[in-house]
């Protein structure tokens, strides 16, 4: 976790540098806000990971830590694959359509209720539609940011 936190700090620092270096403040306001937010969260992640790794070293042996880490990795692996698919298909399908499907997929995979429950499925679809609507209001109406428009929107 410490290595991941360190790399996230480096990437967030790079984003901050690129958003502030030789750019117009009016045009790059939103990317600057995102970059600074990422940098703050990556510093928090780095500090908490450092403290967590120190407590792991003090309190347990290496075999139980590797079992816990492998179990956590297997839990987040589908989410990483879905995120990769989202990033590759966003330009083709469109931002809002792909955001709907990725959010619905995350709700179905990581939600507490079963995927086969029809009421839960309808509720998750409604939540996903609400999420996309909030994204639309935020980007198009609030920030006036053009999002990738693909075949479907």
């Amino acid at each position: 976790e410490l290595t991941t936190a360190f790399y996230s700090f480096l990437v967030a620092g790079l984003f901050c540098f690129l958003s502030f270096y030789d750019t117009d403040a009016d045009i790059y306001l939103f990317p600057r806000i995102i970059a600074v937010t990422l940098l703050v969260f990556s510093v928090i992640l780095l500090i908490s990971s450092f403290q967590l790794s120190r407590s792991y070293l003090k309190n347990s042996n290496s075999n139980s830590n590797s079992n816990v880490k492998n179990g956590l990795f297997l839990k987040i692996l589908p989410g990483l694959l879905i995120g990769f698919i989202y990033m590759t298909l966003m330009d083709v399908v469109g931002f809002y359509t792909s955001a709907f499907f990725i959010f619905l997929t995350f709700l179905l995979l990581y939600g507490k209720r079963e995927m086969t429950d029809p009421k839960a499925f309808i509720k998750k679809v409604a939540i996903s539609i609400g999420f996309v609507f909030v994204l639309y209001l935020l980007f198009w109406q609030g920030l006036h940011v053009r999002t990738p428009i693909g075949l479907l929107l």
Side-chain angles (χ1 to χ4, degrees):
E1 287 119 10
L2 191 59
T3 305
T4 305
F6 177 73
Y7 284 122
S8 69
F9 174 73
L10 288 179
V11 169
L14 177 67
F15 285 163
C16 271
F17 174 75
L18 293 175
S19 67
F20 281 96
Y21 180 74
D22 198 27
T23 57
D24 185 16
D26 292 334
I27 296 173
Y28 286 93
L29 176 66
F30 184 66
R32 286 180 178 180
I33 292 170
I34 295 295
V36 169
T37 304
L38 282 173
L39 187 64
V40 168
F41 283 135
S42 68
V43 168
I44 292 170
L45 181 65
L46 190 63
I47 292 169
S48 64
S49 294
F50 181 72
Q51 291 173 344
L52 186 64
S53 67
R54 284 182 41 187
S55 68
Y56 276 149
L57 291 175
K58 288 181 183 178
N59 296 331
S60 63
N61 60 27
S62 62
N63 288 339
S64 64
N65 278 342
S66 64
N67 290 337
V68 169
K69 288 180 183 177
N70 289 338
L72 290 176
F73 180 74
L74 290 177
K75 283 185 180 180
I76 65 169
L77 183 63
L80 293 173
L81 292 174
I82 292 167
F84 177 74
I85 292 168
Y86 169 73
M87 294 302 288
T88 56
L89 293 179
M90 182 173 36
D91 286 333
V92 176
V93 179
F95 176 74
Y96 298 110
T97 305
S98 58
F100 169 77
F101 284 116
I102 191 171
F103 196 74
L104 179 63
T105 306
F106 276 124
L107 287 176
L108 291 173
L109 281 177
Y110 296 113
K112 292 185 179 186
R113 297 181 76 186
E114 291 290 324
M115 284 190 264
T116 57
D117 184 9
K119 288 183 181 179
F121 181 75
I122 292 171
K123 184 177 180 180
K124 290 175 183 181
V125 168
I127 290 170
S128 299
I129 291 170
F131 173 73
V132 170
F133 182 68
V134 169
L135 285 178
Y136 170 77
L137 291 177
L138 176 70
F139 288 114
W140 276 91
Q141 302 299 320
L143 297 170
H144 303 290
V145 174
R146 294 193 66 199
T147 57
I149 297 176
L151 298 173
L152 300 175
L153 180 65

